[in-house]
Every structure is written in C-alpha cells, then in structure tokens.
Amino acid sequence: DVKVTQSSRYLVKRTGEKVFLECVQDMDHENMFWYRQDPGLGLRLIYFSYDVKMKEKGDIPEGYSVSREKKERFSLILESASTNQTSMYLCASTQLWLGSSGELFFGEGSRLTVL
Amino acid sequence: AQTVTQSQPEMSVQEAETVTLSCTYDTSESDYYLFWYKQPPSRQMILVIRQEAYKQQNATENRFSVNFQKAAKSFSLKISDSQLGDAAMYFCAYRSLETSGSRLTFGEGTQLTVNP
C-alpha cells in the first residue's frame, strides 16, 4: 500500500513565524501535491511538483513556497505565517502512466493554527 | 478552468437506507476522470470510486455506485445499505485528461451523517 506521511498532525504557531510542513511518500511517485482544506471551500491546490526540483503554482500559491530536493519528499513552507493561513493542509502523491486514472493518495493532514 | 460543485453541504441517512450525494461539474473537455473521495473524521482521505468519461457504464464498488450523466455534467454517488462507518466528508473531484497533468479539482464537500 502507498503510504504518504505528514510530519505533524497538529501545529500551533505565532504570526510571523516560519513554518515547515513535511511530506514523505514511499511509492516512488513522481507527482506530489499540497492542498489546503477549509470548510465550505473544499480542497484548493497550493503547489505541485512533477519531479525533483520542479514545482508549479496551483490556485492559491500566495504566501507559500515549496521544496522538492528528493523524489520522496515535498515540503510546504510558510515564510511568515499569518492568521488566515490557519487551516488543514493535505499532501498527496500519484504516479501517472498510460491508462492510469491519476488517483491521488493522501496523507493524514496537518492542522495548522496560527495565533 | 474546470469547476466542481457539491450543492449539499450536509446530508443524513438512516442506517441500512440509501442516500445519494450530488455533484456537478463544468468542463469543455470530452475526456476526463471523475472521483469520489471519503474523509472519515480525523482520518486520511481515501478513494471511493472513479469513472472515466468515455465509459458509458456507471462504475460500481460494492455498496457504492455512481450515476454519471455526461451531457448534464452530473456525477452523483449512491450509497446503499448505509453503515455507521460511512459517516464522513465526501468530496467529488475532476481530473482532465487533456490539460493540467495529474492535478485534481475538488468540490466543496458533503458531510454525511448516518443515524442508527
């Protein structure tokens, strides 16, 4: 089974702090994603990566950056956390091949509170 | 850009009964995938069922089935013989096969309560 592991389930940070959310997958997937989940808004894509050192902006990249130095690890960085970044953050991965559906495999989520 | 809409923020069903969750989407593409994901309380999101647009037959996975109406751009999920373990947030999602690589676009979610 694919396992996607997010380093922290719950975090509480102060406004202005730098925050790192780590995600590791064990299935050699090339594609990794960071989504943000808010009530009534569903999941919104922040950033994604198709390969090591490659990244692309999703729908809401402002205030976030990412790092993918190794294939299995995809980090989300909040350079200066703000209260409106209080949310649930979900990491996901997938591997595409001809005929595949591109099903995403998710981590358990990281609930971030910024005070 | 594609959009996915789930118009029912909350639904409830009695144990052993049937419930249908609605999903509509907007796209100009002809080939794509549609998914239903389940997110139980404090647990990770898992895939319930998938449907490729070019396949006319509705997908079925045990007690879960879909009603895929391509012309109407509708993709509803039917849960039969509901169980307490079906209580969760359900998300509908769309993946283009023509653009956007492997990214999925999600709806707002429907919170399903199962009453004993």
Side-chain angles (χ1 to χ4, degrees), chain A residues 18-65:
Chain A
K18 190 169 186 176
V19 181
F20 292 87
L21 300 180
E22 307 284 344
C23 175
V24 177
Q25 49 91 6
D26 66 355
M27 281 299 292
D28 203 36
H29 285 173
E30 291 182 351
N31 304 285
M32 296 189 73
F33 305 80
W34 276 105
Y35 283 90
R36 171 175 171 162
Q37 181 181 355
D38 298 289
L41 297 178
L43 278 69
R44 293 178 291 166
L45 183 63
I46 304 172
Y47 266 98
F48 58 106
S49 170
Y50 288 131
D51 203 350
V52 175
K53 297 191 184 295
M54 295 184 70
K55 60 185 179 183
E56 291 198 33
K57 292 179 179 179
D59 299 319
I60 53 164
E62 298 77 18
Y64 303 94
S65 62

Side-chain angles (χ1 to χ4, degrees), chain B residues 87 97 99:
Chain B
L97 288 177
T99 60

Side-chain angles (χ1 to χ4, degrees), chain A residues 94-103, chain B residues 31-33 35 50-55 95-97:
Chain A
T94 192
Q95 184 73 5
L96 288 182
W97 61 89
L98 186 64
S100 72
S101 68
E103 169 195 353
Chain B
D31 204 9
Y32 45 86
Y33 270 98
F35 305 86
R50 80 192 90 197
Q51 173 88 40
E52 187 165 4
Y54 81 83
K55 292 184 177 178
R95 178 184 162 237
S96 167
L97 288 177

Side-chain angles (χ1 to χ4, degrees), chain A residues 9 31 33 35 37 40-43 45 48 50 58-59 90 94 96 99-104 106-108, chain B residues 33 35 37 39 42-47 50 52 89 91 95 97 100-109:
Chain A
R9 291 292 304 275
N31 304 285
F33 305 80
Y35 283 90
Q37 181 181 355
L41 297 178
L43 278 69
L45 183 63
F48 58 106
Y50 288 131
D59 299 319
L90 298 177
T94 192
L96 288 182
S100 72
S101 68
E103 169 195 353
L104 292 185
F106 284 89
E108 292 187 322
Chain B
Y33 270 98
F35 305 86
Y37 278 86
Q39 186 182 42
S42 300
R43 293 178 61 188
Q44 69 194 110
M45 190 106 65
I46 56 173
L47 179 69
R50 80 192 90 197
E52 187 165 4
M89 181 72 86
F91 290 97
R95 178 184 162 237
L97 288 177
S100 306
S102 55
R103 61 178 290 174
L104 268 63
T105 299
F106 287 84
E108 303 90 339

Side-chain angles (χ1 to χ4, degrees), chain B residues 5 12 15 20 24 33-34 41 46 54 57-58 67 70 74 76 78 80 85 87 90 94 109 112-113:
Chain B
T5 301
S12 63
E15 199 175 2
T20 299
T24 59
Y33 270 98
L34 295 165
I46 56 173
Y54 81 83
Q57 186 172 6
N58 288 325
N67 183 5
K70 191 172 184 179
S74 171
S76 60
K78 185 171 82 171
S80 304
Y90 287 82
Y94 172 102
L112 178 66
T113 301

Side-chain angles (χ1 to χ4, degrees), chain B residues 1-115:
Chain B
Q2 297 83 18
T3 59
V4 178
T5 301
Q6 294 177 247
S7 59
Q8 306 154 316
E10 298 176 344
M11 292 282 285
S12 63
V13 63
Q14 292 295 125
E15 199 175 2
E17 306 226 324
T18 296
V19 64
T20 299
L21 308 184
S22 301
C23 173
T24 59
Y25 57 95
D26 186 24
T27 185
S28 58
E29 299 172 349
S30 58
D31 204 9
Y32 45 86
Y33 270 98
L34 295 165
F35 305 86
W36 278 99
Y37 278 86
K38 171 185 177 182
Q39 186 182 42
S42 300
R43 293 178 61 188
Q44 69 194 110
M45 190 106 65
I46 56 173
L47 179 69
V48 175
I49 199 165
R50 80 192 90 197
Q51 173 88 40
E52 187 165 4
Y54 81 83
K55 292 184 177 178
Q56 294 186 341
Q57 186 172 6
N58 288 325
T60 298
E61 291 285 344
N62 300 313
R63 297 182 295 107
F64 298 87
S65 61
V66 298
N67 183 5
F68 174 47
Q69 302 288 331
K70 191 172 184 179
K73 298 178 184 176
S74 171
F75 183 61
S76 60
L77 175 70
K78 185 171 82 171
I79 307 174
S80 304
D81 186 24
S82 296
Q83 301 176 359
L84 295 177
D86 296 332
M89 181 72 86
Y90 287 82
F91 290 97
C92 178
Y94 172 102
R95 178 184 162 237
S96 167
L97 288 177
E98 299 176 16
T99 60
S100 306
S102 55
R103 61 178 290 174
L104 268 63
T105 299
F106 287 84
E108 303 90 339
T110 297
Q111 182 70 52
L112 178 66
T113 301
V114 180
N115 300 310

